[in-house]
Amino acid sequence: MHADTRLAEELERRLTRIEAHEAADPVHAKLGAGSLALFLGVVGVIAIGSWIAGAL
């Protein structure tokens, strides 16, 4: 059980370090926003297509 706790703490520490590094990197920050915009666009197209199909 103690090993699981230490492993979880180490994982959290590493993820925090990676996230901080990526947030400071302008390429990663731009890519993150672009990916989110693309995802939301796809979701919007699917939602509108479903709404139109349901209305017919």
Side-chain angles (χ1 to χ4, degrees):
M1 192 77 158
H2 181 66
D4 290 338
T5 303
R6 287 181 44 198
L7 184 60
E9 289 172 354
E10 179 65 17
L11 179 61
E12 182 65 30
R13 184 188 69 79
R14 289 182 185 198
L15 287 174
T16 301
R17 187 173 173 194
I18 290 169
E19 289 172 351
H21 177 73
E22 288 182 352
D25 184 8
V27 173
H28 278 100
K30 184 177 180 182
L31 181 62
S35 297
L36 180 60
L38 176 63
F39 172 75
L40 292 176
V42 170
V43 169
V45 168
I46 291 171
I48 290 171
S50 297
W51 181 78
I52 291 172
L56 297 176

